């Protein structure tokens, strides 16, 4: 198996640079005529798996499964397995972060040999980018990817992400320091496997031009990010951005064909971001 | 049921200001003669539940259960239920953080009506303290507590936590801004239910004197924090600090009596921090 960076580039070149979210929140479950329980989760996920086969990346939002405890996680495990079986890359949106042996345990869960392990996982660096090292190590050993939160679109995010980081570079924000730390890990690789997360609607995104890795851009569509306005976000190169859409597509469900058609429309709308559009 | 701040104060006044960790990492499982699987987790947790009944607070580290997927979470659910049945307060160390409806889903999991819900949960504020609002709301409605990461002892933590936060207070660190935001939530309560996490070995901890809420202090004992040197950490008042110990006690296992004796020694060592020692 080749590194995650290579696999992602291959998948998006063939299938378009789009990440489709599986976000079974209670309102959507009800709108789809499903119960707000593990059985409803399973029905929701089955529909998404059927509709999203053939796309590049699918991102289950872990929180919506965890809300139902171990029963929800059993559904998540089956969903991850079914997605990988269908040939899409699976990005587990878990935003985990801790230190030492605890971080290593999260790495086992999401990037190791556990039934939750996906092709890539999101991570949260409040304990410092360096605290994620056990996850980066496990991911590399298993040819998986990690997307580290850098700058998010929610207004409260700036209170941490736009703080001025200590260190030798005057005025560098926390968000930029995270991107730069990821770039160091990716240096030397043909295509780095450590990505960052940058919100679609930021007025001053961090500079990702030297990242040499993918940039996940959540919040496209109904959440405010305009798919046609993403080119060059943070100085991104062609093929570097991976827009993620959830609600804009999911509200077309529960019909599988309608859901797939909505996903195809979004894929076409962001195709111009690809390496060879 | 009274608010978490009141319940915590009552428990620590009666039983001592100590939080005992359940950290079933693979090395410990092997040292206790248990398998590194869900059955081993269950055996480990059963021993801890038996040994820690009678103490104030017990903190399962969620990552070590999540590493085994849904099977690990089933053990965690049974462990949380058994701990609450035994009369201790349960603090789920999950360090979750997200925004909007996703944060609300984590709130359902850990502070709502899910089988994982505990008396309190830890949260990570990389997306801004304000992004945790759905968790704070759910916790308050259910008389539960939240401990928000502020400043941690790992060396990489300073790269984010000691960054200078934007806003009207010149030079205020991210860690201090988190403490101050928690203090705002606690203002007016007799005993606030929103705590913070501050590492035991920090040379310059944030000022928690105006927090009006509990301060969880992990890393005491084998992890470097000296139990006799904690008084007044960050300007804490008597009764405000809740030292957390894991490895120092757990390495006394698997014998229940030996484990309990180690926990009692630590409880006695930190008793001087209590409101009425």
């Amino acid at each position: 198996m080749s590194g995650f960076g290579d696999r992602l580039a291959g998948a998006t070149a063939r299938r378009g640079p789009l990440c489709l979210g599986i976000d079974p929140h209670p309102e959507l479950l009800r709108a789809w005529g499903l119960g707000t329980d593990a059985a409803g989760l399973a029905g929701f996920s089955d529909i998404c798996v059927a509709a999203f086969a053939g796309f590049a990346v699918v991102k289950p939002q872990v929180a919506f499964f965890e809300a139902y405890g171990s029963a929800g996680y059993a559904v998540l495990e089956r969903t991850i397995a079914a997605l990988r079986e269908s040939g899409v890359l699976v990005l587990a949106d878990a935003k985990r972060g801790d230190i030492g042996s605890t971080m290593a345990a999260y790495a086992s869960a999401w990037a190791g040999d556990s039934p939750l392990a996906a092709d890539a996982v999101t991570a949260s660096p409040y304990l410092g980018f360096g605290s994620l090292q056990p996850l980066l190590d496990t991911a590399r050993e298993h040819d998986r990817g990690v997307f580290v939160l850098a700058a998010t679109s929610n207004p409260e995010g700036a209170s941490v992400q736009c703080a001025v980081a200590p260190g030798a570079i005057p005025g560098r924000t926390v968000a930029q320091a995270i991107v730069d730390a990821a770039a160091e890990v990716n240096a030397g690789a043909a295509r780095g496997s450590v990505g960052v997360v940058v919100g679609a609607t930021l007025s001053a995104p961090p500079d990702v031009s030297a990242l040499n890795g993918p940039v996940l851009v959540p919040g496209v569509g109904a959440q405010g990010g305009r798919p046609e306005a993403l080119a060059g976000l943070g100085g991104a190169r062609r093929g570097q951005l991976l827009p993620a859409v959830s609600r804009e597509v999911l509200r077309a469900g529960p019909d599988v064909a309608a859901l797939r058609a909505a996903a195809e429309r979004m894929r076409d709308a962001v195709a111009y971001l690809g390496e060879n559009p």
Side-chain angles (χ1 to χ4, degrees), chain A residues 26-121:
Chain A
E27 292 75 11
L28 264 178
L29 289 169
R30 283 189 283 267
W32 286 23
L34 296 164
T36 53
D37 52 21
L41 275 187
F44 189 99
S45 299
D46 288 348
I47 290 170
C48 290
V49 170
F52 297 162
F55 289 84
V57 186
V58 177
K59 178 173 76 68
Q61 173 46 258
V62 170
F64 294 114
F65 296 85
E66 193 168 89
Y68 301 92
S70 61
Y73 262 29
V75 174
L76 179 57
E77 289 170 357
R78 289 197 301 273
T79 302
I80 289 172
L83 287 168
R84 301 190 75 187
E85 184 74 20
S86 81
V88 304
L89 292 173
V90 183
L91 168 54
D93 198 354
K95 298 190 178 68
R96 298 298 190 255
D98 212 301
I99 61 170
S101 63
T102 309
M103 191 69 237
Y106 281 130
S108 293
W110 299 105
D113 299 315
S114 113
L116 293 167
D119 295 289
V121 61

Side-chain angles (χ1 to χ4, degrees), chain A residues 214-238:
Chain A
V215 180
L216 182 71
V217 185
V220 174
Q223 289 143 283
R226 290 158 53 220
E228 71 279 14
L230 297 174
L233 180 76
R237 298 161 189 224
R238 193 174 279 282

